[in-house]
């Protein structure tokens, strides 16, 4: 369990991270970013769960032996990264800035 | 398709690890692809649907926001999708193993 807490601390303190939600297979929120309200966490959870399931379906339709690792949804204002395995769904919301021009 | 588009497709396709590049229109119909017709048709439909859903999810969470890029990473490959008003640019690449 402390591995999990350590990882969460690391995610929490990474610059740009403005939210995270971790839920189990049943869709129960296990952890959320301290400043996120339960309603916000729930909205992200519901939306991302469906999207991750659909993305997973696309991956498996193309190759039944393949599996989704994660999904990155970049928006104008922020980026949402969703990782899913059998037991958990992890959603991290972060701000993004354009890369330096080479 | 203009020469600039062809040029861009060729450039992307020549990157190491790139499996294929597709351009799909707003109806999900592939209009250009470096992959076989069969594979193209499979990816095009599935990805167009998923992108539409992702776009709508983004706006549901914040109606002032919009989808700018989508990346689907699986064990075997990564699908990158750049949506535009009229088209989707899709690039499929294998993972680099160092």
């Amino acid at each position: 369990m402390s591995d999990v807490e350590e990882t969460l601390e690391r995610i929490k303190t990474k610059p740009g991270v403005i939210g995270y939600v971790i839920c189990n297979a049943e869709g129960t929120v296990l952890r959320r970013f301290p400043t996120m309200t339960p309603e916000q966490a729930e909205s992200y959870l519901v939306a991302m769960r469906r999207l991750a399931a659909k993305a997973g379906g696309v991956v498996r339709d193309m190759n039944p032996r393949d599996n989704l690792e994660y999904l990155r949804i970049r928006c104008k204002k922020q980026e949402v990264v969703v990782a899913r395995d059998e037991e958990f769904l992890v959603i991290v919301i972060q701000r993004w800035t354009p890369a330096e021009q080479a | 398709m203009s020469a600039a588009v062809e040029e861009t497709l060729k450039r992307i396709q020549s990157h190491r690890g790139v499996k294929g590049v597709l351009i799909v229109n707003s109806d999900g119909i592939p209009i250009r692809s470096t992959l076989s017709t069969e594979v193209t048709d499979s990816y095009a439909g599935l990805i167009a649907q998923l992108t539409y859903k992702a776009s709508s999810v983004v706006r549901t969470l914040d109606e002032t926001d919009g989808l700018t890029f989508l990346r689907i990473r699986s064990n075997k490959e990564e699908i990158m999708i750049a949506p535009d008003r009229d088209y989707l640019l899709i690039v499929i690449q294998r993972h680099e193993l160092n």
Side-chain angles (χ1 to χ4, degrees), chain A residues 40 43-44 47-48 50-51 54-55 57-59 61-63 65-78 96, chain B residues 39 42-43 46-47 49-50 53-54 57-58 61-62 64-79 95:
Chain A
Q40 281 176 312
S43 324
Y44 272 99
M48 295 307 151
R50 247 184 302 137
L51 208 52
K54 199 144 174 70
V58 169
V59 165
D61 281 349
M62 289 311 301
N63 182 345
R65 279 169 298 175
D66 201 0
N67 239 315
L68 178 73
E69 279 184 10
Y70 64 80
L71 185 59
R72 237 178 225 281
I73 302 148
R74 182 168 288 195
C75 318
K76 287 187 281 201
K77 300 182 177 181
Q78 60 189 20
W96 64 277
Chain B
V39 175
S42 308
Y43 273 120
L46 290 170
I47 292 171
Q49 262 191 319
L50 180 67
K53 215 170 164 82
V57 158
V58 166
L61 289 169
D62 178 351
T64 66
D65 207 350
L67 181 72
T68 59
F69 203 75
L70 190 55
R71 261 185 127 106
I72 303 162
R73 187 184 166 103
S74 70
N75 298 145
K76 298 189 190 297
E77 62 190 25
E78 184 156 13
I79 305 169
H95 300 317

Side-chain angles (χ1 to χ4, degrees), chain A residues 6-29:
Chain A
E6 228 175 271
T7 307
L8 280 184
E9 267 314 301
R10 199 161 43 83
I11 295 176
K12 216 189 286 188
T13 55
K14 261 215 143 43
V17 173
I18 56 177
Y20 64 72
V21 183
I22 303 186
C23 73
N24 64 13
E26 284 83 53
T28 311
V29 175

